[in-house]
Amino acid sequence: MSILVIAEHDNASLKPATLSTITAALAIGPGVDVLVAGASCAGVAAAAASVPGVSKVLLADNAVYANQLPESVAALVVECGSYTHILTAATTTGKNFLPRVAALLDVAQISDIIAVKSSDTFVRPIYAGNALATVQSSDAVKVITVRTTAFAEAASAGNAAPVETLAIVKEQSLSTFAGQQLSVSERPELTAASIIVSGGRGMQ
């Protein structure tokens, strides 16, 4: 059994969602590899290598991956090797490229898992979270997004996994990066918040 986690980052720092995804991966089995795809992101790879439980970090550092366009990242993931499990956080970024990975591998994606029962059996919410489904996959490769709030963040120090540089460059012409407009807030991202209060006006 071999497990690959695709790191989420901004080319400067590793996002907490990746630490939770690593926790979910370790619940499946030991020996987790982490893929860091970006540009000038060696620091992110070093941070991933320090996470306990990580066996190896695969670093794809190229301008092609600077903005992590889903077509390029999906093609890269498929070329990374024969993994039995491929996981990423169920964030906007993860939900953008992982379905493409599943399509390229011709397998079904398992979305938003909140618990791991075994290496092929997972729990995920359905009906807007009003019910939980236990799903078992018979696919050779399990392609999984993780609801990060359901898993504790892995420790961010204490390991020294090797970093392997990949020479794989997957240029594509299907999409180009035009720009981005980011909202700035002092509040944490919803997917990374440890406490979420929902109550509308009654909660002020």
Side-chain angles (χ1 to χ4, degrees):
M1 184 166 58
S2 53
I3 305 169
L4 178 67
V5 169
I6 298 98
E8 183 160 344
H9 60 91
D10 58 3
N11 290 317
S13 59
L14 191 67
K15 293 197 174 181
T18 301
L19 300 177
S20 297
T21 305
I22 291 172
T23 298
L26 290 170
I28 296 172
V32 174
D33 293 351
V34 176
L35 170 64
V36 175
S40 301
C41 55
V44 178
S50 71
V51 179
V54 172
S55 297
K56 178 174 61 177
V57 175
L58 305 176
L59 174 59
D61 195 333
N62 191 283
V64 169
Y65 306 119
N67 300 298
Q68 299 169 39
L69 294 177
E71 291 83 3
S72 296
V73 174
L76 170 66
V77 172
V78 171
E79 292 291 326
C80 277
S82 301
Y83 287 95
T84 59
H85 297 75
I86 300 173
L87 295 85
T88 196
T91 58
T92 302
T93 301
K95 291 176 180 179
N96 202 10
F97 71 79
L98 207 66
R100 290 171 167 83
V101 173
L104 290 172
L105 293 174
D106 194 24
V107 298
Q109 178 177 302
I110 305 170
S111 302
D112 277 340
I113 69 164
I114 61 171
V116 175
K117 294 291 187 182
S118 68
S119 62
D120 65 355
T121 306
F122 312 92
V123 179
R124 61 179 300 268
I126 58 174
Y127 299 119
N130 291 308
L132 299 178
T134 299
V135 295
Q136 186 175 42
S137 172
S138 59
D139 286 327
V141 182
K142 279 72 172 173
V143 176
I144 303 165
T145 60
V146 176
R147 182 166 292 192
T148 55
T149 52
F151 295 90
E153 292 180 12
S156 57
N159 192 20
V163 177
E164 177 183 323
T165 301
L166 300 178
I168 304 170
V169 178
K170 290 294 181 178
E171 292 191 71
Q172 50 81 36
S173 58
L174 294 174
S175 63
T176 57
F177 182 78
Q180 63 182 2
Q181 294 180 337
L182 301 176
S183 59
V184 179
S185 174
E186 295 180 356
R187 300 177 179 179
E189 294 182 17
L190 185 61
T191 53
S194 57
I195 299 174
I196 299 173
V197 178
S198 176
R201 293 180 180 175
M203 301 296 292
Q204 298 183 357

